[in-house]
Amino acid sequence: MKYLLSGLVLISMQAYAACPSPLRMAYNNDWLPYVQLVDDIVTGTDIELIRTLAVQLGSSLQLIKMSEQRALQQLQQGELDLIFAASYTEERAAYAYFSLPYRQENITAVLNEDLLTQQPELTSKADFYQLAAKQWSGAVNTAGYYGEDFEQFKQNKGKSRLFHVAEEFRRLQMVAQGRAQFSIVDHKVALFHIHQHKELSSLRVLPFLLHQSSIHLMLSKKTISQSCVQQFDLLLKKRLRRPTASEQ
């Protein structure tokens, strides 16, 4: 029995050792509630989740500040180990593993209330992209993935109408100040900022979604083994099975 237990412990240690330490992950700006920067301290719901997973895997999390576009390049080259809050695409899957989803993302657009009330015909995603292509400019993180409809818009009719602004709060400010007519946003993040900042009180989110997707961790195929990905998935599966407070 002693040898059996020792063997099980050894197997468990080998499984966790499959993940490198530290795990290098990129971040860039405030993205509340998922990422929060206070001086040199980085927290937020996504960050704390991944910190916890890293510790449970016998590793640690090393955060490296860089732009989203550069982070994707660094992950592909093996200079980063993982990226959080990632949507699955076939292009990304060529160089990265995707974990099980750990939350859902709801993408919509934010406009000034006055502009929204002037557009009673704006009732669907198709209506939005038609108006955006003809009349509006948008402040958007163009490195983000907001669904195939946005990708087509970005590469064609919207190409000359989009300003790349990485930080979500700055994008919302531009819309509130009339420097852009819309911004593509995470629904939860937009509502958080609108409720927190009086200067954004004129902003409204669309009454429909532009895109909805599962959110994953992206793990570099150059530095992360499939065994490590499996360990991440096991831990995420356990967390997803936990009942919420309302279910208890």
Side-chain angles (χ1 to χ4, degrees):
M1 177 62 75
K2 179 174 72 174
Y3 295 113
L4 176 60
L5 290 173
S6 298
L8 290 173
V9 170
L10 179 60
I11 291 171
S12 177
M13 290 175 64
Q14 288 173 337
Y16 285 129
C19 295
S21 184
L23 288 161
R24 300 164 297 172
M25 185 175 81
Y27 74 98
N28 44 54
N29 299 300
D30 264 335
W31 193 37
L32 297 165
Y34 308 122
V35 182
Q36 182 174 18
L37 310 182
V38 181
D39 297 325
D40 294 328
I41 299 173
V42 186
T43 60
T45 55
D46 276 21
I47 299 296
E48 293 309 317
L49 167 65
I50 300 160
R51 273 203 179 105
T52 299
L53 295 178
V55 170
Q56 291 175 334
L57 290 169
S59 183
S60 60
L61 188 64
Q62 179 186 357
L63 292 168
I64 304 171
K65 190 168 186 178
M66 67 178 67
S67 70
E68 189 171 341
Q69 192 61 50
R70 185 174 170 223
L72 290 168
Q73 294 169 352
Q74 295 280 290
L75 190 82
Q76 188 170 4
Q77 295 165 6
E79 298 297 323
L80 280 179
D81 300 308
L82 72 155
I83 290 174
F84 68 100
S87 297
Y88 177 89
T89 69
E90 290 185 2
E91 179 185 0
R92 293 173 175 181
Y95 60 86
Y97 299 114
F98 282 79
S99 73
L100 289 176
Y102 64 90
R103 61 176 172 85
Q104 286 292 117
E105 181 175 65
N106 296 315
I107 297 298
T108 186
V110 163
L111 295 81
N112 264 303
E113 183 177 20
D114 289 346
L115 181 59
L116 191 57
T117 56
Q118 293 168 16
Q119 309 294 335
E121 74 277 21
L122 181 53
T123 60
S124 70
K125 177 167 60 175
D127 294 335
F128 170 79
Y129 282 118
Q130 186 175 12
L131 285 165
K134 292 180 179 179
Q135 302 179 26
W136 298 338
S137 60
V140 179
N141 175 12
T142 54
Y145 180 78
Y146 306 118
E148 284 304 312
D149 292 297
F150 175 77
E151 288 298 304
Q152 292 180 20
F153 173 73
K154 179 176 73 173
Q155 294 166 16
N156 296 290
K157 293 182 179 180
K159 197 169 186 179
S160 62
R161 293 182 172 273
L162 297 176
F163 305 107
H164 173 70
V165 183
E167 188 178 351
E168 190 128 11
F169 181 64
R170 281 188 58 214
R171 299 200 297 270
L172 296 175
Q173 282 182 313
M174 288 179 69
V175 178
Q177 295 164 1
R179 295 163 59 200
Q181 281 70 55
F182 70 89
S183 181
I184 307 290
V185 293
D186 177 291
H187 188 272
K188 188 173 182 179
V189 175
L191 290 181
F192 182 92
H193 282 303
I194 291 169
H195 292 153
Q196 289 289 318
H197 300 280
K198 189 175 181 180
E199 64 182 294
L200 305 179
S201 61
S202 65
L203 299 184
R204 297 292 181 269
V205 297
L206 292 177
F208 52 85
L209 296 178
L210 299 178
H211 180 63
Q212 187 174 44
S213 66
S214 297
I215 292 301
H216 310 257
L217 301 177
M218 276 178 69
L219 302 108
S220 173
K221 288 185 176 180
K222 287 204 170 181
T223 64
I224 301 294
S225 67
Q226 288 183 312
S227 176
C228 179
V229 178
Q230 290 169 359
Q231 293 302 316
F232 266 107
D233 284 346
L234 283 172
L235 292 175
L236 286 170
K237 194 177 293 185
K238 288 178 183 178
R239 295 184 69 88
L240 293 172
R241 283 177 180 168
R242 292 178 185 172
T244 63
S246 61
E247 295 171 333
Q248 290 177 338

